[in-house]
């Protein structure tokens, strides 16, 4: 049965956003007496502080208190997985920006001014900032993991071609528009309400209760919406919420903490930089026979979510390819930069960058195109991933072939070649990027959600779930799902704030799974209500076969025909008959498991597939480039809101391209983040994005998702990797032999230096002209 939807598919926040009426944490009117907090943090990357001098700051205008680790009534611990993360440092400092004290004042300006008056004695130790250096020293978090399949060592012996090399990809700043922030308000007794910009309200509740030393039920966390998150608030919103809660509890006053952009960039973790060593073996026909990779993850100073991110790198180390012999090793390396954390893709993109680098190397060695190797080795139905799961309803080849039919990769290649014949100052490049991304939290227990539905007697509906709206449109999709499940108009449905009192123990909104999990729970809650209504209507109508009653388009149908019952009458009658108009339901993704001892299982409910083709032009004199086209075929399932899904695809693509091309995080040798503002950190804008962005859909039913839909949040980010290889392809057209390292991001500066490296080297090696010699003056003057 198809239940129609009345009302348009749209992003239901669009009108509020456009009018500037959407509420974020600090838009809610201030409670009286609200105080403001600012964080004093470590100026050194590694060492200790002693003799903290607070007197001058405490005496400054407007200052109410300065809170340090000694003041914490509960436990000084916020590590989400491993307990290695004090909320405030007790002396040891592991990164620049490591929080030491909370300055609380009447205004944000007063607090910021007072922070500048704090001093301490610092003892510095050597800082380690790269993963490989940390790995060599044995500074490893958790235990390195290895996924293996087949027999790589034997397989390499039989290969016709074996390539070995190194691939490095950098981190990425989340750059959510709304910086980290929270507001805590005491209610009564030792109870608190915390408004937090978090993807994980329950993590905030849990940690705040622990830090303050109260039971979890004393802390209520409420989230209206986030101005972006991208993983940066999956776990790392907790700290700031705990700090405002702590200050609020100690001072018995509302306290708000809003990070300044520079503080946010310096104090919070980012996407993990990775360095990888790869070895790939192929036969003469371009079949990948064996792949070995060692991933070194730069975890930063604390464990945070790094071990889960590391695991996802392994899950995606072979991307959308079937390779019979694989050994993938990954180690999480502890360094002195802020703890790196979840970021859209969650380690997957780094795993894919390494294999895409390896197969590019192999293509050059074999003298065939990258896309030939890619297409040759795409996963097929039933083939196994290196972690035991088999590809089911595999669409790796289908999405590629759909993209090829629509956009003709050979023709793109031929056009580029023709152009390159005629041009030296500009070169065109082409690259394809297939993507296969697993959907489900890899921590199986996290794949659970609940929903609470209330129907009021006027027929309007209130829906609460654990889904956090962060701009991604989950509320819109939940409205579409609830409308369909109840057979009513979307206009009747309101999605409530995400609140720990209405929904307990919720998982973070993450892993692309928010709609699947919370939508799954919403359907179950709606079915519970509909079941009650169906029984009631059957009784009222005096019929036995209530299975023939349906709710569709605001009407009650019996044997497919309209009755004189509509939604409002049903609701009214249910109320009068004392039938509950509320339902709560719980959803847990079925049929997923993973055994970490064997490194095998079925961790994902399903995979999302797709393929993107890129066309770029590189200015070989300047190193600048233009990404002209991204043409892709994406595996969407039966979407419940296509506009929202398109938004996710375009946004993910932009973020992926940015990571691979422009966005460059610069750290000093002392661990200082040098790119700590938007003047020094460049992200893509509308002009930078491809002029031509074409999307083809594969809309096959997905039995594992709500109403046949598929998760969409993270997979499109990885298409962006194709932009890197398209630029590199253009560079190859300019210079077939130069050594171009696999080192992302491929900024225009790097393109320029790499294209002209040999000339630069020649110039640097040339004898220095004799200053006295008139000839050299002439030469210089003639430049
Ligand atoms: N978060 C998490 C994630 O805790 N586990 C995951 O598997 C995951 N995957 C993607 C993004 N966030
Ligand atoms: Mo995420 S990286 O799905 O918070």
């Amino acid at each position: 049965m198809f239940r129609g939807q009345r009302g348009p598919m749209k992003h239901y926040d669009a009108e509020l956003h456009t009018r500037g009426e959407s509420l974020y944490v600090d838009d809610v009117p201030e409670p009286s007496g609200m105080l403001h907090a600012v964080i004093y943090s470590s100026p050194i990357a590694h060492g200790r502080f002693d003799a903290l001098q607070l007197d001058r700051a405490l005496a400054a205008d407007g200052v109410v208190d300065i809170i340090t680790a000694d003041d914490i009534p509960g436990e000084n611990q916020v590590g989400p997985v491993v307990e290695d993360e004090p909320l405030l440092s007790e002396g040891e400092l592991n990164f620049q920006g490591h929080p030491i004290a909370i300055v609380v004042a009447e205004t944000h300006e007063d607090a910021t001014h007072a922070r500048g008056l704090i001093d301490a004695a610092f003892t510095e130790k050597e800082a380690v900032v790269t993963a490989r250096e940390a790995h060599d020293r044995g500074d490893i978090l958790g235990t390195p993991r290895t996924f293996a399949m087949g027999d790589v060592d034997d397989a390499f012996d039989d290969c016709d071609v074996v390539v070995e090399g190194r691939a490095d990809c950098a981190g990425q700043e989340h750059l959510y528009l709304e910086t980290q922030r929270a507001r805590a308000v005491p209610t009564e007794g030792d109870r608190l309400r915390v408004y937090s910009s978090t993807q994980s309200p329950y993590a905030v509740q849990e940690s705040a209760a622990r830090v303050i030393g109260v039971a979890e039920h004393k802390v209520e966390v409420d989230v209206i919406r986030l101005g972006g998150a991208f993983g940066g608030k999956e776990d790392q919103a907790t700290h700031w919420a705990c700090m405002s809660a702590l200050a609020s509890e100690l001072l018995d006053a509302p306290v708000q903490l809003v990070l300044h952009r520079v503080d946010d960039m310096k104090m919070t973790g980012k996407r993990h930089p990775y360095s990888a060593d790869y070895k790939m073996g192929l036969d003469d026909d371009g079949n990948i026979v064996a792949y070995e990779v060692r991933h070194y993850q730069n975890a930063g100073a604390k464990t945070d979510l790094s071990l889960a991110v590391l695991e996802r790198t392994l899950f995606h180390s072979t991307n959308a390819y079937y390779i019979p012999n694989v050994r993938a090793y990954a180690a999480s390396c502890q360094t002195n930069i802020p703890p790196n954390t979840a970021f859209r893709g969650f380690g997957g993109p780094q795993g894919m960058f390494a294999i895409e680098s390896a197969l590019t190397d192999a293509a050059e060695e074999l003298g065939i195109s990258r896309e030939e190797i890619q297409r040759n080795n795409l996963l097929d139905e039933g083939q196994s991933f290196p972690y035991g799961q088999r590809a089911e309803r595999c669409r790796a080849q289908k999405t590629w072939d759909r993209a090829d039919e629509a956009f003709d990769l050979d023709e793109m290649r031929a056009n580029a070649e023709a152009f390159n014949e005629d041009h030296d100052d500009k070169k065109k490049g082409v690259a394809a990027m297939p993507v296969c991304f697993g959907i489900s939290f890899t921590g199986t227990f996290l794949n659970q959600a609940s929903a609470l539905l209330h129907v009021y007697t006027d027929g309007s509906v209130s829906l609460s779930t654990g889904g956090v709206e962060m701009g991604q449109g989950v509320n819109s999709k939940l409205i579409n799902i609830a409308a369909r499940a109840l057979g009513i108009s979307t206009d009747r449905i309101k999605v409530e704030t995400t609140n720990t009192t209405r929904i307990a123990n919720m998982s973070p909104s993450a892993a692309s799974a928010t709609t699947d999990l919370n939508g799954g729970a919403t359907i179950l809650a709606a079915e519970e209500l509909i079941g009650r209504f169906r029984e009631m209507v059957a009784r009222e109508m005096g019929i036995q076969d209530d299975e023939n009653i349906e709710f569709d388009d605001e009407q009650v149908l019996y044997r497919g025909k309209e009755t004189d019952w509509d939604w409002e009458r049903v609701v009214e009658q249910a109320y009068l008959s004392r039938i509950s108009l509320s339902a709560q339901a719980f959803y847990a993704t079925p049929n997923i498991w993973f055994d970490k001892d064997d490194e095998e299982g079925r961790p994902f409910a399903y995979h999302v597939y797709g393929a993107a083709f890129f066309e770029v032009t590189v200015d070989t004199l300047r190193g600048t480039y233009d990404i002209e086209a991204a043409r892709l075929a994406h595996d969407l399932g039966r979407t419940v809101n296509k506009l929202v899904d398109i938004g996710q695809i375009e946004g993910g693509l932009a973020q992926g391209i940015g990571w691979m091309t422009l966005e460059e995080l610069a750290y000093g040798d002392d661990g200082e983040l040098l790119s700590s503002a938007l003047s020094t950190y460049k992200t893509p804008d509308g002009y930078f994005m491809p002029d031509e962005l074409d999307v083809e859909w594969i809309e096959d039913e997905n039995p594992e998702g709500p109403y046949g839909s598929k998760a969409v949040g993270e997979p499109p980010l990885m298409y962006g990797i194709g932009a890197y290889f398209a630029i590199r392809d253009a560079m190859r057209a300019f210079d077939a032999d130069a050594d171009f390292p696999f080192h992302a991001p491929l900024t225009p500066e790097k393109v320029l230096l790499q294209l002209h490296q040999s000339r630069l080297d020649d110039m640097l090696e040339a004898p220095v002209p004799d200053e006295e010699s008139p000839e050299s003056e002439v030469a210089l003057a003639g430049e």
Side-chain angles (χ1 to χ4, degrees):
M1 179 189 58
F2 173 77
R3 285 210 174 94
Q5 156 170 308
R6 271 220 251 149
M9 279 197 190
K10 58 177 184 178
H11 194 304
Y12 288 87
D13 274 353
E15 284 145 38
L16 290 175
H17 285 350
T18 311
R19 292 199 297 259
E21 291 172 1
S22 311
L23 295 183
Y24 298 84
V25 170
D26 66 340
D27 293 320
V28 178
E30 278 192 34
S32 69
M34 189 170 87
L35 303 173
H36 297 264
V38 160
I39 307 307
Y40 172 72
S41 72
S42 176
I44 62 171
H46 192 198
R48 313 189 33 86
F49 74 89
D50 293 290
L52 195 60
Q53 291 159 34
L54 304 176
D55 296 353
R56 283 178 65 212
L58 278 169
D61 276 355
V63 173
V64 176
D65 198 5
I66 299 178
I67 297 163
T68 64
D70 293 340
D71 301 316
I72 293 176
E75 274 178 80
N76 184 16
Q77 184 52 246
V78 291
V81 181
V82 175
E83 300 193 348
D84 66 350
E85 217 175 331
L87 180 67
L88 296 170
S89 170
E90 293 169 4
E92 195 181 321
L93 297 170
N94 307 97
F95 58 95
Q96 282 206 18
H98 197 155
I100 296 174
I102 309 168
V103 184
V104 188
E106 282 161 17
T107 67
H108 183 81
E109 292 68 28
D110 285 346
T112 306
H113 170 72
R115 172 173 72 173
L117 304 174
I118 298 178
D119 206 357
F122 294 98
T123 318
E124 273 196 78
K125 290 193 206 157
E126 190 192 348
V128 174
V129 297
T130 68
R132 283 182 190 259
E133 200 185 332
H135 192 267
D136 289 347
R137 292 170 167 240
D139 294 340
I140 291 174
L141 294 167
T143 312
R145 309 261 303 262
T146 301
F147 284 14
M149 181 165 75
D151 186 338
V152 252
D153 298 318
D154 274 1
F156 279 123
D157 293 340
D158 298 336
C159 290
D160 296 314
V161 172
V162 176
V163 291
E164 284 184 75
R166 171 174 166 164
D168 289 273
C169 53
Q172 184 176 23
E173 165 61 40
H174 300 88
L175 216 80
Y176 24 69
L177 285 181
E178 179 199 33
T179 56
Q180 302 275 4
R181 62 196 59 199
R183 178 190 292 180
V185 181
T187 53
E188 59 176 8
D190 50 5
R191 300 179 186 185
L192 281 179
R193 184 175 295 127
V194 181
Y195 302 94
S196 165
S197 179
T198 179
Q199 290 170 252
S200 190
Y202 181 53
V204 168
Q205 179 187 23
E206 221 179 354
S207 290
R210 187 172 182 187
V211 166
I212 296 165
V214 297
E216 289 176 15
H217 68 186
K218 298 278 181 77
V219 180
E220 174 185 355
V221 180
D222 191 80
V223 179
I224 304 177
R225 64 164 65 70
L226 278 50
F230 311 113
K233 299 170 183 171
E234 176 171 342
D235 164 65
Q236 293 203 1
T238 300
H239 307 56
W240 322 106
C242 286
M243 290 178 200
S244 65
L246 172 65
S248 178
E249 167 76 12
L250 293 176
L251 301 171
D252 199 21
V255 175
Q256 178 165 290
L257 193 168
V258 172
L259 287 192
H260 185 280
R261 178 68 65 189
V262 173
D263 282 350
D264 189 303
M265 290 179 83
K266 286 201 166 195
M267 292 181 192
T268 65
K270 313 186 188 311
R271 186 187 294 288
H272 294 76
Y274 272 65
S275 186
D277 293 319
Y278 64 78
K279 181 172 176 185
M280 182 178 271
L282 303 91
D283 65 20
D284 278 334
D285 299 325
N287 298 307
I288 307 173
V289 178
Y291 179 56
E292 179 167 20
V293 63
R294 293 174 68 82
H295 294 290
Y296 305 98
Q297 176 201 59
N298 188 336
K302 305 286 173 182
T303 309
D304 193 272
L305 299 173
S306 293
L307 301 179
V309 171
L310 190 81
E311 183 175 52
R312 201 175 262 282
T313 302
L314 290 172
F315 283 123
H316 298 306
S317 275
T318 53
N319 190 11
Y321 308 111
Y322 173 66
I323 306 175
N325 303 287
V326 177
R327 185 163 58 224
Y329 164 94
S332 181
C333 310
Q334 187 172 29
T335 61
N336 297 112
I337 60 175
N340 287 316
T341 193
F343 195 137
R344 203 174 194 172
F346 206 74
Q350 294 95 323
M352 293 184 194
F353 180 72
I355 193 164
E356 293 299 324
S357 298
L359 68 78
T360 303
D361 191 347
E364 290 180 0
E365 188 68 29
L366 278 164
I368 60 179
S369 71
R370 254 171 59 83
E371 54 264 27
E372 195 177 329
I373 296 184
Q374 290 173 311
R375 178 63 189 86
N376 248 348
N377 292 282
L378 287 176
L379 270 164
D380 207 348
E381 187 68 21
Q383 285 178 332
S384 189
F385 293 95
Y387 47 91
Q389 184 160 358
R390 287 177 188 280
E392 297 163 60
R393 285 176 295 279
C394 181
R395 293 165 198 164
Q397 302 187 10
K398 186 169 179 176
T399 46
W400 178 292
D401 292 344
R402 173 68 63 84
D404 203 18
E405 270 161 40
F407 311 121
D408 200 339
L409 189 55
D410 285 344
E411 193 183 308
M412 285 172 70
R413 171 69 60 202
N415 286 343
E417 279 171 6
F419 178 92
N420 292 341
E421 291 267 305
D422 300 341
H423 296 80
D424 275 325
D425 59 333
K426 290 205 164 107
K427 292 289 183 189
K428 273 193 192 295
V430 168
M433 181 66 200
V435 168
C436 167
F437 195 79
I439 303 301
S440 290
F441 285 94
T442 58
T444 302
F445 73 97
L446 289 170
N447 296 287
Q448 54 172 303
S450 51
L452 177 64
L453 263 178
H454 296 312
V455 182
Y456 296 97
T457 57
D458 67 353
S460 66
V461 175
S462 150
L463 172 61
S464 297
T465 74
V468 170
E469 177 59 54
M470 49 189 125
Q472 89 280 40
V474 66
N475 285 358
S476 303
K477 290 175 95 167
L478 289 172
I479 287 173
N480 294 130
I481 287 169
R484 204 154 144 183
L486 294 169
I488 59 175
S489 163
T490 54
D491 301 339
R492 291 193 186 273
I493 299 163
K494 172 188 162 213
V495 177
E496 305 290 348
T497 62
T498 315
N499 183 292
T500 55
T501 301
R502 269 176 276 113
I503 302 290
N505 314 318
M506 62 183 86
S507 292
S509 284
S512 304
T514 314
T515 300
D516 285 14
L517 297 174
N518 294 282
T522 299
I523 293 174
L524 292 177
E527 283 174 351
E528 166 75 29
L529 278 176
I530 292 291
R532 291 177 207 156
F533 295 165
R534 187 177 279 133
E535 225 174 81
M536 179 196 77
V537 172
R539 202 162 51 235
E540 296 284 331
M541 286 173 61
I543 54 173
Q544 302 303 316
D545 53 339
D546 67 3
E547 68 277 10
N548 287 322
I549 293 177
E550 296 164 53
F551 290 74
D552 192 13
D553 202 13
E554 301 261 320
Q555 298 296 318
V556 179
L557 307 179
Y558 177 57
R559 301 192 167 177
K561 291 203 190 65
E562 265 192 34
T563 63
D564 51 9
W565 288 81
D566 65 6
W567 175 254
E568 287 186 10
R569 185 175 168 202
V570 167
V571 169
E572 201 181 310
Q573 186 60 49
Y575 177 72
L576 294 173
S577 309
R578 298 191 296 170
I579 291 168
S580 168
L581 288 170
S582 297
Q584 192 269 356
F586 176 79
Y587 178 83
T589 311
N591 197 19
I592 49 171
W593 58 279
F594 195 71
D595 180 341
K596 284 193 187 182
D597 292 329
D598 297 343
E599 301 288 26
E600 276 198 358
R602 188 179 182 279
F604 300 120
Y606 58 90
H607 291 81
V608 170
Y609 299 88
F613 301 159
F614 283 84
E615 187 180 309
V616 307
T617 301
V618 171
D619 180 325
T620 54
L621 287 175
R622 295 174 183 81
T624 53
Y625 43 76
D626 192 10
I627 299 170
E628 279 148 347
R631 304 182 174 113
L632 59 98
H634 186 82
D635 167 27
L636 197 66
R638 297 262 161 81
T639 177
V640 294
N641 191 322
K642 199 162 188 169
L643 274 179
V644 166
D645 286 355
I646 291 173
Q648 286 296 296
I649 289 172
E650 293 185 351
L653 181 73
Q655 207 160 28
I657 293 177
W659 172 54
M660 281 283 112
T661 62
L662 296 182
E663 298 183 36
E664 192 168 37
L665 290 165
Y667 293 92
D669 291 338
D670 60 354
E672 183 185 3
L673 178 67
L674 302 171
S675 51
S676 61
L678 290 177
S679 52
T680 45
Y681 187 79
K682 181 83 185 104
T683 56
D685 56 20
Y687 298 106
F688 182 78
M689 283 296 285
D691 304 328
E692 208 186 295
L693 176 46
D694 299 320
V695 181
E696 282 284 310
W697 313 103
I698 305 275
E699 298 189 59
D700 295 349
E701 173 100 10
N702 171 34
E704 320 284 342
Y707 294 125
S709 65
K710 275 201 164 183
V712 73
E714 292 170 292
L717 181 130
M718 284 150 274
Y719 293 137
I721 296 169
Y724 177 100
F725 290 98
I727 294 166
R728 195 179 186 284
D729 188 60
M731 291 165 68
R732 264 287 164 258
F734 181 77
D735 188 333
D737 307 311
D739 176 29
F740 297 141
F742 296 105
H743 197 165
L746 194 43
T747 58
E749 183 183 349
K750 278 205 206 131
V751 172
L752 185 70
L753 290 175
Q754 289 179 19
L755 285 178
H756 304 292
Q757 194 62 53
S758 58
R759 273 163 289 269
L760 276 172
D761 291 344
D762 291 348
M763 281 164 66
L764 292 172
E765 274 164 28
V768 180
D770 181 354
E771 276 181 28
E772 302 293 295
S773 145
E775 271 164 76
S776 66
E777 269 170 46
V778 172
L780 283 174
E783 276 283 333

